[in-house]
Amino acid sequence: MIHFVLLFSRQGKVRLTKWYSPYSQKERTKAIRELSGGILPRGPKLCNFVDWRGLKVVYKRYASLYFCMCIDSEDNELECLEIIHHYVQILDRYFGNVCELDLIFNFHKAYFILDEVLIAGELQESSKKSVARVIAAQDSMVDAAKEQMASLSNIIAQATR
Amino acid sequence: MALSGMRGLSVFISDVRNCQNKEQERLRVDKELANIRTKFKHEKGLTPYEKKKYVWKMLYIYMLGYDVDFGHMETVALISAPKYAEKQVGNVGGKEFSESLAPDVQKLLISSSCRPLVRKKAALCLLRLYRKNADVVNVEGWSDRMAQLLDERDIGVLTAVMSLLVSLVANNPDGYWNCVSKCVKIIERLTRSQDIPQEYTYYGIPSPWLQVKTMRVLQYFPSIEDPNIRKSLFEVLQRILMGTDVVKNVNKNNASHAVLFEALSLENMTRMLLVADVQESIKRHQAQIITSLKDPDISIRRRSLDLLYGMCDVTNAKDIVEELLQYLTTADFAIREELALKAAILAEKFAPDLSWYVDVILQLIEKAGDFVSDDIWYRVVQFVTNNEDLQAYAAATARDYLDKPAVHETMVKVAGYLLGEYSHLLARRPGCSPREIFPIIHDKFPNVATSTKALLLSAYIKILMHSQPGDPELQKQVLSVFKKYETYLDAEVQQRAIEYFVLSQKGPSMVDIMAEMPKFPERQSALLKKAEDTDGDAAELSATKLRLQQQTSNAVVVVNQHSANGTSHPAPLSSVSSGTRNIDRGFLEQSQVGPQHNDVPVKAAGMVQSLTADLLGDLLAPLAIEAAPASVAATPTTAILPLEEPPVGPADPLALAVLDGNSSSVQPVGSTSDWFNALCKKDSGVLYEDPFIQIGIKGEWRGPQGRVVIFLGNKHTVALTSVRAIVLPPSHLRMQLPPVPELIPPRAQVQCPLDVLSLHASREVPVLDFSYNNSAVTVGSKLRLPVVMSKFLQPAPISSADFVAIWRSLAGPPNKLQEVVRGVNPMLISEMTELFNMFHICVSPGLDPNPNNIVAATTFFSESGATLCLVRVETDPADRTQLRLTVASTDASTTFELKEYIKEQLVDISSITANPATLGFTGPAAALAGLL
């Protein structure tokens, strides 16, 4: 299973974390520090898999962002590497040529999408379309609620005028 | 798609991002938190929008690494909010999921009326719950329901269900047999691309993730009984193995290889059951795997090495091993040793014929001698010895290798050993007469290490003895070599040279002694044992090796006793009576010990002896003689050996007893206090010894300074780990022990220099606290270090006049102290004089007119300078258990300490410590009682 997902920038800024196994806040900061310190200096030609405390960390760099997933040592790391790519493809499709700023200002969207891709540290959905559908549905629900709110407040505003 | 409308959040995020440094960021965050806190507290009627906004902000702050200790209630409240927009926020932020959900979740998962979206979430939710508490699926007929779920058509749901199944099966494989056929169907459906929606293909591969997961499940069921299912599974595997090629697109490549590797491991498991044509399909990849041995990434090289090792069998062993050999020359250093080991193992395991095996190993040594561990060539020797057909061939091959210009030392060892044993089998061949072989070997002699030299000497005598009829020319050459090394620096080489020289003089009657080695008892190859371990994890090679060494040597120690003491070896010395036969074996094998000590039966006695000799041979020469094996000295042949020391009997049997018993409590082989006392009187010797370690001491003293070298010698064939030695100095000494290496390799010695500076006089002694682990138990002990006061004394010869003058000038206490000492160990004046001299207290005979008195002088050195000390002992010839002791010096504390020190030496300490219960009464008080 995937124990956690980490996104950090080339400067070591954390952009997204998702923990599927229980880690205390202290352990989390420690893990982030160790991994960003261990992965960032690695050259582009080096292996995408790093052993870390009896687990394996699969990482991949997309532009200035590093996507890391920590899996059990006996798990299939290539499979995990493609989960990362799968997630990135979905993000790309959603944001349209995704960049780091998208993930900074819309970090909640990144979380929503991740939640549709992974649950309990396992791949939930391998179809990009299916994920896109669900997210679009969510967005429309939010929009609908917002409109409703707006019209409601309009009505109230008019009524109280 | 931005957060339309949530301006507050965007502004906040921008603010945080614009912060110049951590401090500013922190201020901004604190401000925001305070704001949120008051908002939550005061304004009851927060609009849902505001609630949402603040929860988002908190979440963002939390993500930045700040502690957010409030707001959980608001989040939970959002979860239960009626509108989706709020609920969504709550779901992300909320942490707590009720565990009592399980039955509901199960219902959701099973019910076919639910949307796939809900069902796959339910499956993974159940998995999450299952990980927490395995009882959630403890439902009657759950495995049947799982099987039903596998009929699902929706790939998304199937993926989630399969994740659940992997976990379930991992914990309870037997419970889910009914799912196997379904899994095979799924994988079949996937590989044939039947009924796979376009959206579920990933770079053209039908959901690689589902394939991987399904095969994971199947790996828990290696034996499939139903022949139809089995057949279809093999078809699938074959399709995967054949269909996977390296393509340009990285992602496609990764995905397809993820599937391939999973298939390979599944295939590996099923292979045990059915050696079918699948074997052929895996071999299709052999070439590619061999190519990846040259991949720039080391982990890939390692993996492919593992894979090659795993897929090797009788049919392809020859190819693979030869490939490995070829690769060996170019492989990088990190991988070479493993490579050599694996090649050796494969060669042994799958050797189509024995001569090929010998060829391979010799090639291996030639190409990567540095990386061929001793185990490998021991095994060859064992192999050749046990296979008569092989002996001549092996000897001839070894000879050919020696002809090459640059020969690795290991090769010299093997060749030397093989030629020594079997060159006579070649005598008829051209260029292989003993007279021709000897110079070939001897050519290498000057450039090899002493251990190899010793081995070669054994080879020479064997060649000489086997040359029938005798060749005077050869004899002359060989004897001149022995003669030359009779004075060699290394004790082992020297001893062999001398012994062989004398033995060779004995003429043909010696032939039996130098007969070929007997066959070894069959046992599992140490290398294969190694393999079992290396299989597990290639990366942890060093750790594995450590573990292995332990294993092999255990075997040696245990086996020895029976195998070699057993029946018949027809090599008694003709001149020796049968009673001493075993001892002779010990001696002989000791001489042979070079090639054998690790993997070959040697009589245990011989083994211990050789260890002792080896250990001490280089550095503690005096000790080596002292500890020279008793059995050697006891044999009649020792008449010709230059060993003059009397046998030191008890140590060896005791050592053996502990070794053989495999006892967990390791005891020293002698008395530590005896060793300590002996070391007080001399500068080098043994401080401590047990079956595994020997600690020796060598001290040099110059005034207040001293340098003590502590020798830690591993007598065992296993590395001693976690070695720790700490010196606890008393206050009057300044000493510093550099860190001791944590590991002492087998039969190696470690030296730790320890510098000592005396600050002032004291009788306290430093303590060496040491411990080690011998792979079975941790042994530790606290030892007194013989840095006693006498080490800082130097004899001071003094004239009568000076003595009297100084003696008078020091009138009374505290500079001059007198005490009647009782309970003295009775000794003659001459003995006491000797004792004093041993402690560097110079006795001036005749200075005191009374022959029953001793007058002595010594200089005590400390950091502050030298102090002259005068001593006078008045004894009573009628009662030697009491005496009057007077000590005088210019320094009161030195006087006192020296007086006490001398007293301690004179009083029989052993009699006191023998009965600790009556300690209070055996001292002076008891002596007094005796007098009365």
Side-chain angles (χ1 to χ4, degrees):
Chain A
M1 70 172 282
I2 298 167
H3 293 281
F4 54 81
V5 179
L6 272 185
L7 253 74
F8 47 82
S9 68
R10 215 171 39 176
Q11 290 79 30
K13 284 264 182 213
V14 179
R15 295 302 177 205
L16 181 147
T17 59
K18 184 84 189 176
W19 309 82
Y20 296 105
S21 296
Y23 287 89
S24 71
Q25 188 60 40
K26 218 174 170 183
E27 288 167 331
R28 290 177 182 191
T29 26
K30 198 168 172 218
I32 293 171
R33 201 176 50 235
E34 281 184 16
L35 286 177
S36 56
I39 289 174
L40 288 173
R42 286 171 69 87
K45 290 262 176 201
L46 291 181
C47 186
N48 292 53
F49 317 130
V50 185
D51 284 326
W52 179 74
R53 298 211 209 149
L55 300 171
K56 259 188 306 210
V57 174
V58 176
Y59 73 92
K60 190 157 188 189
R61 183 180 164 176
Y62 290 90
S64 59
L65 266 188
Y66 284 81
F67 288 69
C68 308
M69 289 188 184
C70 176
I71 53 175
D72 285 317
S73 58
E74 68 271 15
D75 283 347
N76 190 323
E77 53 284 68
L78 286 177
E79 179 203 13
C80 184
L81 198 61
E82 292 320 292
I83 292 181
I84 293 179
H85 188 66
H86 177 59
Y87 176 51
V88 173
Q89 279 184 321
I90 295 172
L91 287 177
D92 196 56
R93 204 171 275 199
Y94 180 79
F95 289 107
N97 210 357
V98 67
C99 69
E100 195 181 339
L101 280 180
D102 288 327
L103 299 187
I104 294 170
F105 282 98
N106 293 298
F107 69 98
H108 56 301
K109 296 284 181 195
Y111 276 108
F112 288 152
I113 295 172
L114 186 61
D115 282 347
E116 291 305 319
V117 175
L118 296 176
I119 281 191
E122 300 286 350
L123 183 73
Q124 184 204 160
E125 182 55 75
S126 59
S127 155
K128 290 186 263 295
K129 263 193 196 147
S130 170
V131 175
R133 270 201 300 270
V134 175
I135 298 291
Q138 284 179 8
D139 283 343
S140 66
M141 283 167 92
V142 173
D143 286 345
K146 231 177 256 162
E147 264 165 37
Q148 202 183 352
M149 275 284 302
S151 61
L152 212 64
S153 52
N154 269 346
I155 292 167
I156 294 168
Q158 277 170 6
T160 51
R161 191 182 298 165
Chain B
M1 287 274 171
L3 271 176
S4 40
M6 247 185 227
R7 248 196 75 224
L9 180 58
S10 292
V11 168
F12 172 62
I13 294 177
S14 299
D15 277 359
V16 171
R17 277 171 53 76
N18 287 337
C19 286
Q20 301 283 319
N21 52 35
K22 203 82 197 158
E23 197 49 42
Q24 276 185 11
E25 186 181 307
R26 166 140 228 126
L27 281 172
R28 180 69 186 90
V29 166
D30 283 348
K31 189 178 147 204
E32 195 62 38
L33 279 177
N35 176 26
I36 297 171
R37 204 174 281 135
T38 43
K39 280 273 159 59
F40 275 152
K41 210 184 269 171
H42 295 304
E43 292 168 42
K44 278 247 148 43
L46 280 176
T47 61
Y49 164 74
E50 279 171 318
K51 271 193 205 160
K52 245 168 30 183
K53 185 174 79 181
Y54 293 130
V55 170
W56 276 130
K57 281 184 181 174
M58 285 188 330
L59 204 60
Y60 188 78
I61 292 167
Y62 181 69
M63 201 176 68
L64 286 175
Y66 296 93
D67 224 11
V68 178
D69 47 7
F70 66 96
H72 300 309
M73 273 321 290
E74 280 74 12
T75 315
V76 175
L78 278 180
I79 298 180
S80 49
K83 292 200 198 75
Y84 176 74
E86 284 103 82
K87 215 184 178 88
Q88 182 194 34
V89 178
N91 277 334
V92 172
K95 280 181 182 171
E96 311 237 313
F97 259 113
S98 166
E99 291 209 8
S100 58
L101 285 174
D104 289 340
V105 176
Q106 285 173 11
K107 246 182 248 156
L108 281 178
L109 175 57
I110 297 161
S111 77
S112 50
S113 59
C114 268
R115 283 158 58 207
L117 176 69
V118 179
R119 294 180 58 204
K120 70 191 180 201
K121 290 197 169 158
L124 290 172
C125 176
L126 197 61
L127 168 62
R128 185 80 184 81
L129 296 175
Y130 174 74
R131 280 187 193 140
K132 253 208 153 74
N133 174 11
D135 287 337
V136 295
V137 294
N138 236 342
V139 187
E140 191 70 23
W142 182 250
S143 63
D144 292 338
R145 292 188 189 169
M146 283 305 289
Q148 274 175 26
L149 285 171
L150 293 175
D151 287 336
E152 176 66 48
R153 303 312 290 174
D154 183 282
I155 306 279
V157 178
L158 212 46
T159 310
V161 169
M162 202 56 85
S163 296
L164 177 61
L165 188 60
V166 170
S167 271
L168 293 176
V169 168
N171 289 340
N172 177 17
D174 297 335
Y176 295 91
W177 271 104
N178 49 352
C179 298
V180 173
S181 60
K182 298 277 174 67
C183 288
V184 174
K185 283 225 177 71
I186 293 172
I187 193 87
E188 218 179 335
R189 174 184 159 195
L190 286 168
T191 45
R192 295 209 176 142
S193 292
Q194 289 171 339
D195 184 19
I196 308 292
Q198 175 60 33
E199 57 183 288
Y200 281 102
T201 53
Y202 183 81
Y203 289 96
I205 305 163
S207 185
W209 297 286
L210 183 55
Q211 292 194 38
V212 166
K213 280 195 205 321
T214 314
M215 282 192 279
R216 267 283 150 99
V217 172
L218 288 173
Q219 279 169 26
Y220 289 99
F221 304 98
S223 54
I224 296 171
E225 269 148 38
D226 187 328
N228 288 330
I229 300 179
R230 202 164 62 196
K231 192 165 153 262
S232 44
L233 179 59
F234 278 122
E235 276 173 21
V236 169
L237 288 179
Q238 204 155 356
R239 187 184 283 266
I240 296 172
L241 296 175
M242 302 293 279
T244 309
D245 279 312
V246 180
V247 290
K248 258 231 165 101
N249 184 308
V250 181
N251 297 99
K252 181 173 183 178
N253 227 3
N254 284 345
S256 60
H257 280 84
V259 175
L260 173 66
F261 290 151
E262 224 47 65
L264 280 174
S265 54
L266 175 58
E267 196 278 332
N268 256 341
M269 295 179 85
T270 41
R271 179 149 55 130
M272 284 176 254
L273 192 77
L274 191 113
V275 187
D277 35 320
V278 188
Q279 190 76 48
E280 294 308 314
S281 43
I282 192 174
K283 283 183 191 151
R284 207 179 73 89
H285 288 280
Q286 188 171 316
Q288 191 193 324
I289 297 166
I290 288 172
T291 334
S292 41
L293 267 180
K294 289 150 195 156
D295 194 278
D297 191 313
I298 177 110
S299 54
I300 292 176
R301 291 194 296 263
R302 280 236 160 84
R303 280 288 159 93
S304 34
L305 179 58
D306 281 349
L307 194 55
L308 276 181
Y309 179 67
M311 66 193 268
C312 190
D313 63 11
V314 190
T315 53
N316 57 6
K318 227 168 167 161
D319 296 338
I320 289 185
V321 170
E322 268 152 29
E323 196 61 52
L324 291 183
L325 278 178
Q326 213 167 45
Y327 172 51
L328 201 54
T329 40
T330 52
D332 52 0
F333 290 92
I335 206 173
R336 269 194 200 180
E337 179 157 4
E338 194 186 339
L339 194 61
L341 179 65
K342 289 202 160 149
I345 292 164
L346 290 179
E348 179 180 335
K349 212 165 159 186
F350 300 114
D353 59 278
L354 297 174
S355 54
W356 177 76
Y357 170 71
V358 174
D359 282 346
V360 167
I361 301 295
L362 290 180
Q363 267 187 57
L364 201 61
I365 295 172
E366 190 203 6
K367 289 188 169 155
D370 288 338
F371 301 93
V372 174
S373 64
D374 284 348
D375 285 339
I376 294 180
W377 78 265
Y378 294 160
R379 187 72 184 153
V380 186
V381 165
Q382 207 175 332
F383 224 78
V384 173
T385 312
N386 285 8
N387 291 289
E388 279 167 30
D389 308 340
L390 210 55
Q391 292 168 352
Y393 175 78
T397 319
R399 187 208 166 283
D400 291 343
Y401 272 106
L402 279 186
D403 273 344
K404 304 200 171 176
V407 182
H408 191 270
E409 176 138 355
T410 310
M411 181 65 85
V412 177
K413 285 185 191 169
V414 192
Y417 187 90
L418 290 176
L419 288 174
E421 292 287 327
Y422 307 115
S423 65
H424 59 280
L425 301 174
L426 311 175
R428 302 254 161 83
R429 302 191 190 181
C432 291
S433 70
R435 197 201 281 188
E436 284 158 304
I437 283 185
F438 171 73
I440 296 177
I441 305 177
H442 194 58
D443 209 30
K444 317 287 175 206
F445 194 86
N447 302 323
V448 292
T450 47
S451 63
T452 314
K453 281 196 167 81
L455 194 150
L456 289 185
L457 288 178
S458 299
Y460 296 165
I461 182 102
K462 289 213 168 194
I463 293 176
L464 180 65
M465 288 303 169
H466 289 318
S467 61
Q468 295 299 343
D471 181 339
E473 175 63 24
L474 176 68
Q475 181 160 16
K476 212 178 96 200
Q477 288 174 358
V478 173
L479 288 187
S480 73
V481 173
F482 289 152
K483 197 82 201 154
K484 186 173 162 196
Y485 285 91
E486 264 179 8
T487 53
Y488 193 69
L489 198 61
D490 181 76
E492 178 74 24
V493 174
Q494 184 189 24
Q495 190 180 350
R496 285 191 192 202
I498 294 170
E499 286 171 6
Y500 293 154
F501 183 77
V502 180
L503 282 175
S504 59
Q505 305 281 306
K506 300 262 163 185
S509 64
M510 292 292 112
V511 171
D512 280 347
I513 299 178
M514 295 301 164
E516 287 164 25
M517 292 298 288
K519 288 193 177 171
F520 297 104
E522 265 317 314
R523 71 172 88 113
Q524 197 195 354
S525 159
L527 297 185
L528 283 179
K529 275 190 196 166
K530 217 173 219 188
E532 281 160 20
D533 282 9
T534 14
D535 257 359
D537 186 0
E540 302 249 334
L541 188 65
S542 55
T544 330
K545 263 175 60 192
L546 210 65
R547 212 160 58 222
L548 285 167
Q549 282 173 339
Q550 290 160 5
Q551 281 186 353
T552 47
S553 58
N554 280 352
V556 169
V557 174
V558 177
V559 168
N560 287 338
Q561 206 51 340
H562 304 283
S563 58
N565 258 1
T567 49
S568 55
H569 183 67
L573 282 174
S574 49
S575 60
V576 175
S577 67
S578 60
T580 51
R581 204 174 102 180
N582 280 342
I583 300 171
D584 279 323
R585 280 298 291 156
F587 156 64
L588 264 184
E589 286 179 340
Q590 183 206 352
S591 327
Q592 297 285 346
V593 93
Q596 300 168 356
H597 48 69
N598 212 359
D599 206 9
V600 175
V602 176
K603 202 178 120 225
M607 179 130 163
V608 173
Q609 290 164 18
S610 64
L611 292 178
T612 332
D614 265 15
L615 257 185
L616 297 167
D618 41 354
L619 285 153
L620 288 178
L623 286 182
I625 294 177
E626 189 175 281
S631 47
V632 174
T635 52
T637 44
T638 52
I640 54 168
L641 300 177
L643 287 176
E644 282 150 22
E645 291 287 319
V648 191
D652 280 348
L654 198 54
L656 276 182
V658 180
L659 269 181
D660 292 341
N662 238 350
S663 152
S664 58
S665 69
V666 175
Q667 294 297 328
V669 298
S671 152
T672 46
S673 63
D674 283 355
W675 285 322
F676 173 78
N677 289 336
L679 279 171
C680 289
K681 297 171 193 165
K682 55 183 190 175
D683 282 339
S684 63
V686 174
L687 179 69
Y688 173 89
E689 183 169 1
D690 68 26
F692 301 99
I693 198 167
Q694 185 185 51
I695 302 181
I697 289 260
K698 190 170 188 183
E700 279 174 45
W701 308 95
R702 198 164 293 123
Q705 290 177 335
R707 165 164 274 234
V708 180
V709 184
I710 300 176
F711 299 89
L712 301 168
N714 181 357
K715 310 203 298 181
H716 203 36
T717 43
V718 171
L720 299 180
T721 53
S722 318
V723 178
R724 197 176 58 89
I726 299 167
V727 167
L728 312 168
S731 58
H732 73 284
L733 294 175
R734 190 180 299 150
M735 52 207 306
Q736 186 72 49
L737 185 68
V740 185
E742 205 150 268
L743 182 143
I744 309 182
R747 295 162 47 81
Q749 194 181 51
V750 171
Q751 299 178 32
C752 311
L754 170 67
D755 287 317
V756 187
L757 178 68
S758 155
L759 302 177
H760 55 84
S762 170
R763 288 159 297 141
E764 301 277 305
V765 289
V767 171
L768 176 72
D769 183 1
F770 87 98
S771 63
Y772 65 89
N773 190 303
N774 65 11
S775 82
V777 286
T778 302
V779 183
S781 189
K782 285 197 169 64
L783 303 169
R784 287 178 296 163
L785 280 177
V787 184
V788 288
M789 199 173 169
S790 62
K791 303 290 182 194
F792 303 106
L793 295 179
Q794 269 181 21
I798 192 166
S799 74
S800 168
D802 289 349
F803 187 92
V804 174
I806 301 171
W807 189 256
R808 290 227 174 102
S809 72
L810 301 164
N815 285 349
K816 188 194 243 176
L817 294 171
Q818 190 167 73
E819 186 179 339
V820 175
V821 184
R822 297 195 168 85
V824 173
N825 198 13
M827 59 179 96
L828 296 172
I829 289 294
S830 58
E831 288 170 343
M832 201 180 284
T833 309
E834 200 177 322
L835 186 69
F836 271 58
N837 284 332
M838 250 183 232
F839 291 123
H840 308 141
I841 304 173
C842 175
V843 176
S844 312
L847 208 146
D848 195 309
N850 186 340
N852 286 322
N853 292 356
I854 291 180
V855 167
T858 185
T859 314
F860 173 76
F861 287 92
S862 69
E863 193 189 28
S864 50
T867 315
L868 182 69
C869 307
L870 305 178
V871 182
R872 182 158 184 245
V873 182
E874 293 153 282
T875 63
D876 177 2
D879 181 1
R880 295 217 171 270
T881 61
Q882 61 170 337
L883 51 79
R884 189 164 71 176
L885 172 67
T886 316
V887 176
S889 83
T890 50
D891 178 65
S893 76
T894 310
T895 309
F896 176 77
E897 293 293 336
L898 183 62
K899 187 200 73 177
E900 291 298 310
Y901 180 70
I902 296 175
K903 196 170 88 185
E904 273 173 13
Q905 306 307 320
L906 294 174
V907 174
D908 188 356
I909 300 168
S910 60
S911 73
I912 295 172
T913 46
N915 321 310
T918 55
L919 186 63
F921 300 98
T922 44
L928 192 66
L931 281 175
L932 291 170

